Amino acid sequence: TGWMGEKTGKILTEFLQFYEDQYGVALFNSMRHEIEGTGLPQAQLLWRKVPLDERIIFSGNLFQYQEDSKKWRNRFSLVPHNYGLVLYDNKVAYERQVPPRAVINSAGYKILTSVDQYLELIGNSLPGTTAKSGSAPILKCPTQFPLILWHPYARHYYFCMMMEAEQDKWQAVLQDCIRHCNNGIPEDSKVEGPAFTDAIRMYRQSKELYGTWEMLCGNEVQILSNLVMEELGPELKAELGPRLKGKPQERQRQWIQISDTVYRMVYEQAKACFEEVLSKVQQRRPAMQAVIRTDMDQIITSKEHLASKIRAFILPKAEVCVRNHVQPYIPSILEALMVPTSQGFTEVRDVFFKEVTDMNLNVINEGGIDKLGEYMEKLSRLAYHPLKMQSCYEKMESLRLDGLQQRFDVSSTSVFKQRAQIHMREQMDNAVYTFETLLHQELGKGPTKEELCKSIQRVLERVLKKYDYDSSSVRKRFFREALLQVSIPFLLKKLGPTCKSELPRFQELIFEDFAKFILVENTYEEVVLQTVMKDILQAVKEAAVQRKHNLYRDSMVMHNSDPNLHLLAEGAPIDWGEEYSNSGGGGSPSPSTPEAATLSEKRRRAKQVVSVVQDEEAGLPFEASPEPPSPASPDSVTEIQGLLAQGLRAESPPPASPLLNGAPAGESPQPEAAPEASSPPASPRQHLLPGKAVDLGPPKPSDQETGEQVSSPSSHPALHTTTEDSTGVQTEF
């Protein structure tokens, strides 16, 4: 392990120098932005400040392959609001608050629905290990409906279902988990986030790696681990690959375990280094802020002077490059982006319209305001319903940049698909929340049943107008950002040979006191961006003028549209279940009555977005035997560790740091002998996802960033959210 630790340390040290440099630039940009403002159009829709707190996204049963026992086992699984997949032995264990088997963070994973596809990936990951025709593969699935979570470095997870419909549902749910966990750097981080992503880009460009990067997934430590493995992986493969023994399938299995073990070691080292540097820059921050506040005007003047000199030097070359290699392709790239994105946003509008209209019909047919609380609780979670949102998300799957991907070094379109899908979910939730707020205001007038239905229709029409405006603004911004993401790396790579070597001479133009806030490399990139920005803005503007895909012109402004609407959002969150579930009755029943118990049960059940629970007794073909006691780790672990280094001891990670979706949750130390710890120890994932403040409540299973965390017997009791008990029943919503 010596050379691995040394190599990892070298990569981290080099990257973290980039990070320290970018931190000052990001801090200056953030403070300047606060003073000068954004100039972005005012959003018409409201946004929910505490979305989906304490909710279960999905629950149900699936079969998981146990690598240690080589058996498929039925697992009760649920996805809480932080999108970590939690696995229990069965539903009874969950209801009895037994600690979960595992919590999986899916950042960086891909979903495969075919064993053949998986075997091909595995065969390509280690040359010379492709199994011969007719030999037993590394994995057999007893049904035709597998779901495999594949990661280029971390361990893999194998699931299967009995029916295609179940596979489709779980695929939508797991894809939602991946989408959410990939987006691991909080968008409200105005300094640390931009500093980190810019440092990643600068570091990779220093290695001549331009363009989008598929493994920019998860939080900072996960991304940093992926960055190290991108360099370390090929060397590790060359060093250890020839020393693996056994049949091709066994060598494949060993390699997966080796890669996962190394990934965890890298993760721990990256975590320690990053936290140390982050603490250091945050300690310096107050002093840097004081300098920026005092000298803001001088720093801006100095930067503009530097930019003018760089512009004079590179402009002739850059303009020729843009005119010959970028400008002719902007319309076709934009059109390729606009079609699936706009179809997705149209589908969001249609789904929202249908759900509200159906609710209105139900209000008419089922007793008016008495049922409103129940309907509105369900509607409030529409954006987080993976199955109902799937028709919106899947529109992006048709995105193709055929021919353009190779020209512009776009390794994958997944980064654009995922970003558009996140925008769709945000806009759906904004529309729903605005509808809730406006309807709640109308209900204060005490409408009759007929008046309520008319009010719902009027509010729906108002919200749709706001949605159309915001949808246009969000899509135009997304198109501009995507076009820049495609063109800027290409231009930098083209201009690099003639321009980059000349940049150091511009350093003398920066005052030493301002050197932390102005970097030549960043200013050079901004100048390059400006050379192509005019063409990008023009292309998007022309699309809007032609009303392509329902885009609005920039000059389109919604004047005096609900000027007091944003004041309504400042109030306490609306609890529809508590406020309106029993408003029409002539007195509440006693809590001891069966009716009250049923109502309480319904409320608890409504907090679950969707549930698909299978029969606990159902077994897979050829897997009828009872589950054996938890076996010890297989002997191959010792062999793998011996390959890595003589005497390497696989240690359990220390107690996990708080599970962060913004605010601390409980901690759960990992036991020395975990029930499912096959081969390497449970992966060190610390934050499931930075971002909004949440609290899982019991259990608060610590989850780990590179795979799964197996809870100890001393863990907090399980989060007890009621799910459907009947076989194959879905909680409609």
Side-chain angles (χ1 to χ4, degrees):
T1 59
W3 71 271
M4 281 194 302
E6 188 178 325
K7 175 76 175 177
T8 301
K10 183 181 176 185
I11 295 169
L12 292 172
T13 300
E14 191 177 346
F15 166 78
L16 290 170
Q17 185 57 56
F18 278 96
Y19 180 70
E20 288 190 61
D21 292 343
Q22 293 300 320
Y23 193 89
V25 175
L27 182 61
F28 167 73
N29 289 340
S30 173
M31 294 178 68
R32 182 178 181 181
H33 176 79
E34 286 176 15
I35 293 170
E36 297 180 351
T38 64
L40 294 174
Q42 172 69 46
Q44 294 295 312
L45 296 171
L46 303 176
W47 58 278
R48 196 188 305 272
K49 294 179 180 176
V50 186
L52 205 71
D53 199 7
E54 296 182 3
R55 296 289 189 269
I56 298 296
I57 301 294
F58 192 86
S59 72
N61 282 68
L62 43 66
F63 291 90
Q64 183 188 17
Y65 181 68
Q66 305 300 296
E67 295 166 83
D68 45 15
S69 64
K70 295 183 171 57
K71 301 285 185 184
W72 289 86
R73 297 298 170 206
N74 196 352
R75 296 284 181 236
F76 176 70
S77 314
L78 60 86
V79 178
H81 61 273
N82 62 9
Y83 289 87
L85 179 63
V86 188
L87 301 176
Y88 291 89
D89 283 336
N90 48 51
K91 187 159 178 270
V92 173
Y94 164 68
E95 289 173 340
R96 290 178 179 173
Q97 303 185 4
V98 175
R101 279 269 181 169
V103 178
I104 301 172
N105 181 302
S106 53
Y109 279 84
K110 285 184 172 55
I111 299 175
L112 307 177
T113 56
S114 157
V115 173
D116 290 342
Q117 187 184 8
Y118 176 71
L119 296 177
E120 184 180 349
L121 273 173
I122 295 301
N124 294 337
S125 67
L126 192 65
T129 61
T130 303
K132 295 178 182 177
S133 173
S135 60
I138 188 174
L139 176 71
K140 285 183 180 177
C141 182
T143 76
Q144 299 176 16
F145 311 111
L147 279 183
I148 300 167
L149 289 178
W150 177 86
H151 193 286
Y153 314 122
R155 66 167 292 185
H156 306 153
Y157 296 92
Y158 314 100
F159 305 104
C160 74
M161 293 81 204
M162 297 293 289
M163 296 180 293
E164 187 176 6
E166 291 176 63
Q167 184 190 44
D168 292 343
K169 288 171 183 173
W170 274 108
Q171 184 177 2
V173 171
L174 293 178
Q175 195 60 60
D176 224 18
C177 293
I178 292 170
R179 188 182 301 114
H180 192 95
C181 293
N182 279 351
N183 194 36
I185 298 177
E187 296 191 20
D188 56 1
S189 171
K190 303 302 183 187
V191 178
E192 286 80 1
F196 185 84
T197 51
D198 286 348
I200 288 284
R201 191 184 72 256
M202 293 291 190
Y203 175 84
R204 296 187 79 249
Q205 286 175 184
S206 73
K207 308 294 182 185
E208 297 300 316
L209 297 170
Y210 293 83
T212 56
W213 184 40
E214 273 196 283
M215 293 309 292
L216 192 71
C217 302
N219 66 25
E220 291 88 343
V221 181
Q222 286 175 284
I223 294 168
L224 199 43
S225 303
N226 295 337
L227 188 74
V228 172
M229 290 298 290
E230 186 179 36
E231 292 188 45
L232 192 61
E235 294 182 27
L236 191 69
K237 202 175 292 184
E239 176 73 20
L240 298 181
R243 296 159 62 183
L244 299 177
K245 305 298 181 187
K247 295 179 180 179
Q249 299 91 326
E250 186 56 36
R251 297 206 303 275
Q252 289 172 353
R253 192 174 288 111
Q254 289 175 4
W255 174 248
I256 293 168
Q257 293 175 337
I258 289 171
S259 179
D260 180 51
T261 303
V262 172
Y263 189 51
R264 296 174 195 170
M265 293 165 60
V266 166
Y267 178 90
E268 286 299 315
Q269 194 171 344
K271 181 175 180 291
C273 292
F274 180 70
E275 287 178 351
E276 182 183 344
V277 170
L278 182 61
S279 174
K280 185 164 64 173
V281 294
Q282 287 177 338
Q283 286 173 4
R284 295 176 187 163
R285 181 168 175 163
M288 294 167 73
Q289 286 174 316
V291 173
I292 293 171
R293 286 192 192 98
T294 304
D295 299 327
M296 175 70 81
D297 291 342
Q298 292 95 317
I299 297 172
I300 292 173
T301 302
S302 178
K303 183 178 177 180
E304 288 175 350
H305 177 64
L306 172 66
S308 68
K309 295 294 184 183
I310 294 176
R311 190 178 297 110
F313 167 64
I314 72 158
L315 198 58
K317 302 171 186 175
E319 285 183 337
V320 169
C321 194
V322 169
R323 188 165 58 248
N324 293 339
H325 301 290
V326 177
Q327 197 178 48
Y329 300 96
I330 287 176
S332 52
I333 299 173
L334 179 58
E335 187 64 23
L337 288 165
M338 281 198 300
V339 172
T341 306
S342 298
Q343 287 174 350
F345 275 83
T346 300
E347 184 69 12
V348 169
R349 189 188 199 277
D350 292 346
V351 170
F352 173 66
F353 176 84
K354 178 183 179 298
E355 292 294 321
V356 175
T357 303
D358 288 350
M359 183 194 76
N360 205 357
L361 289 172
N362 288 334
V363 168
I364 294 170
N365 297 329
E366 295 189 23
I369 203 167
D370 292 355
K371 288 277 190 178
L372 188 65
E374 180 184 333
Y375 296 144
M376 288 302 296
E377 277 226 351
K378 292 177 180 178
L379 183 69
S380 68
R381 295 186 293 279
L382 177 58
Y384 300 91
H385 194 304
L387 307 182
K388 291 191 176 182
M389 289 296 295
Q390 182 63 16
S391 63
C392 310
Y393 298 148
E394 66 188 10
K395 300 294 184 188
M396 287 304 299
E397 296 307 315
S398 64
L399 175 61
R400 299 285 183 274
L401 296 177
D402 296 329
L404 299 170
Q405 279 187 239
Q406 292 73 25
R407 166 175 285 276
F408 289 99
D409 271 343
V410 178
S411 60
S412 168
T413 57
S414 62
V415 63
F416 305 117
K417 292 176 183 177
Q418 180 178 288
R419 190 75 205 135
Q421 289 164 343
I422 288 169
H423 283 314
M424 288 175 200
R425 182 170 62 197
E426 288 172 349
Q427 288 301 297
M428 175 66 92
D429 198 45
N430 291 351
V432 168
Y433 182 56
T434 306
F435 178 84
E436 288 183 68
T437 305
L438 289 172
L439 183 61
H440 190 259
Q441 184 186 37
E442 289 291 317
L443 290 170
K445 302 172 184 176
T448 64
K449 180 177 174 179
E450 291 72 21
E451 290 171 341
L452 174 60
C453 294
K454 290 178 182 177
S455 294
I456 289 173
Q457 187 60 34
R458 281 198 307 271
V459 170
L460 173 60
E461 290 170 3
R462 286 167 69 188
V463 172
L464 288 175
K465 287 180 182 177
K466 296 174 185 297
Y467 173 83
D468 290 339
Y469 181 85
D470 280 9
S471 162
S472 173
S473 301
V474 167
R475 282 180 291 141
K476 286 192 294 185
R477 188 164 65 248
F478 167 69
F479 297 147
R480 290 192 290 262
E481 290 171 355
L483 285 166
L484 286 172
Q485 276 186 283
V486 170
S487 57
I488 295 300
F490 173 80
L491 286 171
L492 292 173
K493 188 176 182 179
K494 279 277 186 186
L495 294 170
T498 55
C499 296
K500 212 162 183 184
S501 60
E502 297 294 318
L503 293 181
R505 66 185 176 91
F506 293 100
Q507 186 64 40
E508 63 187 33
L509 298 175
I510 304 172
F511 290 120
E512 188 176 345
D513 292 348
F514 303 156
K516 287 188 179 69
F517 316 118
I518 306 172
L519 296 181
V520 171
E521 188 79 18
N522 288 64
T523 309
Y524 163 67
E525 287 198 4
E526 288 177 20
V527 171
V528 171
L529 182 150
Q530 289 161 8
T531 62
V532 73
M533 193 64 179
K534 181 179 68 174
D535 294 308
I536 288 174
L537 291 174
Q538 185 62 30
V540 176
K541 182 180 177 181
E542 286 177 5
V545 168
Q546 296 168 23
R547 289 303 304 271
K548 282 188 175 180
H549 308 291
N550 202 31
L551 290 176
Y552 290 167
R553 297 189 303 274
D554 292 340
S555 57
M556 166 70 178
V557 178
M558 293 184 72
H559 294 290
N560 300 320
S561 176
D562 295 317
N564 298 320
L565 179 60
H566 288 267
L567 297 177
L568 294 176
E570 298 302 319
I574 304 164
D575 190 332
W576 291 101
E578 290 297 326
E579 203 168 335
Y580 290 100
S581 61
N582 208 31
S583 58
S588 299
S590 165
S592 61
T593 64
E595 290 82 4
T598 304
L599 179 61
S600 172
E601 183 71 11
K602 280 184 179 178
R603 282 187 199 162
R604 293 170 66 197
R605 193 168 290 169
K607 287 192 174 185
Q608 176 143 319
V609 176
V610 61
S611 170
V612 177
V613 182
Q614 299 305 318
D615 185 355
E616 292 292 342
E617 301 304 317
L620 278 173
F622 323 118
E623 289 292 339
S625 58
E627 185 164 3
S630 301
S633 297
D635 295 337
S636 59
V637 178
T638 311
E639 297 166 16
I640 291 170
Q641 292 166 348
L643 270 174
L644 292 172
Q646 198 68 22
L648 171 65
R649 183 168 62 90
E651 298 179 348
S652 296
S657 66
L659 170 66
L660 284 193
N661 232 359
E667 299 183 1
S668 169
Q670 175 176 332
E672 284 296 317
E676 269 190 29
S678 65
S679 70
S683 311
R685 297 211 167 199
Q686 258 59 33
H687 321 295
L688 180 62
L689 185 76
K692 64 182 175 58
V694 297
D695 186 4
L696 269 180
K700 299 175 180 175
S702 60
D703 71 294
Q704 303 277 335
E705 290 300 348
T706 57
E708 69 178 358
Q709 165 71 33
V710 183
S711 300
S712 71
S714 61
S715 297
H716 295 284
L719 175 67
H720 191 75
T721 303
T722 304
T723 58
E724 292 288 0
D725 297 321
S726 54
T727 303
V729 172
Q730 176 172 323
T731 303
E732 278 310 324
F733 152 79

